[in-house]
Amino acid sequence: MNAAPAPTEQATDPDTRLSRSVGGKLLYLFILGDVLGAGVYALVGEMADEVGGAVWLPLLVALGLALLTAGSYAELVTKYPRAGGAAVFADRAFRSPLVSFLVGFSMLAAGVTSAAGLSLAFAGDYFATFVDAPDRLVAVLFLALVAALNARGIKESLRANVAMTAIELSGLLLIVVLAVVVLGRGDGEPGRVTQFAEGTTPAIAVLGAAILAYYSFVGFETSANLAEEVRDVRRTYPRALFGALVTAGVVYVAVGVAAVAVVDPQSLAGSTGPLLEVVDAEGSVPAWVFSLVALIAVANGALLTMIMASRLAYGMAEQDLLPTALGRVLPRRRTPWVAIVVTTAVAMGLVFTGDVAGLAETVVLLLLLVFAATNVAVLVLRREKVEEPHFRVITVVPVLGVASCVLLLTQQDAVTWLRAGILLAVGAVLYVVMRFSRRSGSDRPGADGPASDRAASDGTAPDRAE
């Protein structure tokens, strides 16, 4: 009896025009690389300022909050494995084209805004350690290189992610090793890891620091937009998602304990590069090494974010929520080239609109709105059954997920709400214009609407979420 043939790297699937070439290990590393972003290199100091030496505790709380929304993503991605992520879920749950569009647009806006902020971070002080050049020019050229790698292919992009994630993770593990060396020679104070900042209420301090720590776990949601490129997505996705988040949580807790055990919380809080304080305390590793690691971390985050944004734009085009041209793919590479070009151009434009901090705050608020909608969508879609078996989370998880999003949204300031509101208003205007354009097009003789336009443009039958 002949064994069933093993799946090829370029597996085909009649339900998608994208290449199913992403296995479980690549997906795990994709999520891990996106979660282990550049933020952790600075947030340890800010958390130490809030909570004192017990930095590990808010990191654990933040991991729990992230896992709530991750549970909702695991159910919805395995139930509806389509590119487009949150936009697909909202379309099915709320049956409102406007709501679906705004959820998807929020995610898309957060993605390109994040990429713009990361490109500015890449072009800043870390890059200036090696080369002195205009930061805006460096940011634009950096985004162009990211787009070229993105267009080359999903497997090539994720292979680059594997290398960068390994370096990024090694840098964080190095902090733990250096802390062991310092403690081994009798320096440092490990007892600080159980001490809270003076004059604070522990519960309130942990909550405040957990809100900061939560930002370090954002990034897992981008993986939902690879649903059409993952082999055996219903089995692979939950394992990769939860495995990556737990791995990141363990690394974060270890880094938090190591940093506080070696350097007092006040010194960490007063530094813009708190992990460099650990490097300096150990003394044998050159400080420039961490500048290089930080650059790699930022580059990895930007690559993964732009992969997400381009796949989301493609998915929304497949759902007729964005112009159908964004659904075009390269014949050989099978990557959504129009979506890559457009999202990169928008990110390049955003580079000139603000600084890293302002862009990052806007990203966080937009993502919390998306997360809240996704958690609600899980509950609404429980009444809709699908034939294929899929992951199912217990009902209390999405309920608590909604509550956690509301809690974090209350911590955003008025300026951030205004900036996000302007972006959403632009999205609403775009929705109205597109809706009017589609209606006008359907009134023309011989017009069959967006689906036929897409089929004519690339010679394939249109895809639709079932």
Side-chain angles (χ1 to χ4, degrees), residues 268-292:
L268 290 173
S271 174
T272 57
L275 297 187
L276 288 176
E277 299 289 332
V278 180
V279 175
D280 291 339
E282 195 278 333
S284 67
V285 178
W288 64 264
V289 171
F290 247 80
S291 293
L292 180 60

Side-chain angles (χ1 to χ4, degrees), residues 255-312:
V255 169
V257 170
V260 173
V262 172
V263 182
D264 68 90
Q266 290 77 18
S267 297
L268 290 173
S271 174
T272 57
L275 297 187
L276 288 176
E277 299 289 332
V278 180
V279 175
D280 291 339
E282 195 278 333
S284 67
V285 178
W288 64 264
V289 171
F290 247 80
S291 293
L292 180 60
V293 171
L295 284 177
I296 293 173
V298 172
N300 196 31
L303 172 62
L304 300 183
T305 299
M306 289 308 293
I307 290 174
M308 177 278 294
S310 59
R311 270 54 177 186
L312 175 55

Side-chain angles (χ1 to χ4, degrees), residues 16 18 34 75 93 100 131 133 167 256 259 360 362 367 378 433:
T16 179
L18 299 180
D34 218 355
E75 176 167 336
S100 179
V131 179
I167 295 172
T362 305
L367 286 180
V378 171
V433 171

Side-chain angles (χ1 to χ4, degrees), residues 30-291:
F30 175 94
I31 301 171
L32 181 62
D34 218 355
V35 172
L36 288 178
V40 70
Y41 293 94
L43 286 178
V44 169
E46 296 187 31
M47 285 185 283
D49 188 39
E50 288 273 351
V51 79
V55 171
W56 58 272
L57 185 55
L59 284 166
L60 282 179
V61 173
L63 173 61
L65 295 176
L67 286 172
L68 293 175
T69 297
S72 294
Y73 269 90
E75 176 167 336
L76 291 174
V77 168
T78 56
K79 191 175 182 179
Y80 310 107
R82 291 288 180 269
V88 173
F89 309 149
D91 183 48
R92 286 184 172 274
F94 307 119
R95 303 297 180 181
S96 168
L98 177 60
V99 172
S100 179
F101 178 86
L102 288 178
V103 168
F105 186 83
S106 295
M107 189 74 181
L108 183 58
V112 294
T113 304
S114 178
L118 288 171
S119 70
L120 286 174
F122 182 92
D125 292 338
Y126 288 120
F127 187 83
T129 301
F130 304 96
V131 179
D132 187 12
D135 57 353
R136 309 288 173 173
L137 175 61
V138 172
V140 169
L141 293 177
F142 169 70
L143 286 171
L145 291 174
V146 169
L149 182 55
N150 190 1
R152 182 168 175 79
I154 186 64
K155 193 170 71 171
E156 289 80 1
S157 297
L158 295 190
R159 280 177 175 171
N161 166 60
V162 170
M164 289 188 286
T165 298
I167 295 172
E168 187 177 3
L169 181 58
S170 297
L172 295 175
L173 294 178
L174 177 62
I175 292 295
V176 179
V177 172
L178 294 179
V180 171
V181 172
V182 172
L183 294 174
R185 70 190 183 200
D187 296 330
E189 295 182 24
R192 283 193 294 247
V193 301
T194 60
Q195 298 173 358
F196 289 91
E198 294 184 4
T200 61
T201 302
I204 296 176
V206 169
L207 176 60
I211 293 169
L212 294 173
Y214 184 84
Y215 303 157
S216 295
F217 290 97
V218 167
F220 65 86
E221 73 286 345
T222 64
S223 60
N225 297 286
L226 295 183
E228 290 188 44
E229 295 170 272
V230 175
R231 296 194 297 265
D232 196 7
V233 63
R234 289 185 167 91
R235 181 180 63 87
T236 300
Y237 185 81
R239 296 180 181 181
L241 176 61
F242 295 126
L245 278 173
V246 171
T247 301
V250 170
V251 172
Y252 286 164
V253 169
V255 169
V257 170
V260 173
V262 172
V263 182
D264 68 90
Q266 290 77 18
S267 297
L268 290 173
S271 174
T272 57
L275 297 187
L276 288 176
E277 299 289 332
V278 180
V279 175
D280 291 339
E282 195 278 333
S284 67
V285 178
W288 64 264
V289 171
F290 247 80
S291 293

Side-chain angles (χ1 to χ4, degrees), residues 9 13 53 71 85 97 129 132 151 175 194 208 291 345 359 372 374-376 379 387 420 439 463:
E9 289 188 344
D13 188 327
T129 301
D132 187 12
I175 292 295
T194 60
S291 293
L359 294 172
T374 302
N375 282 302
V376 173
L379 301 172
E387 293 183 2
R439 184 175 300 172
D463 297 328

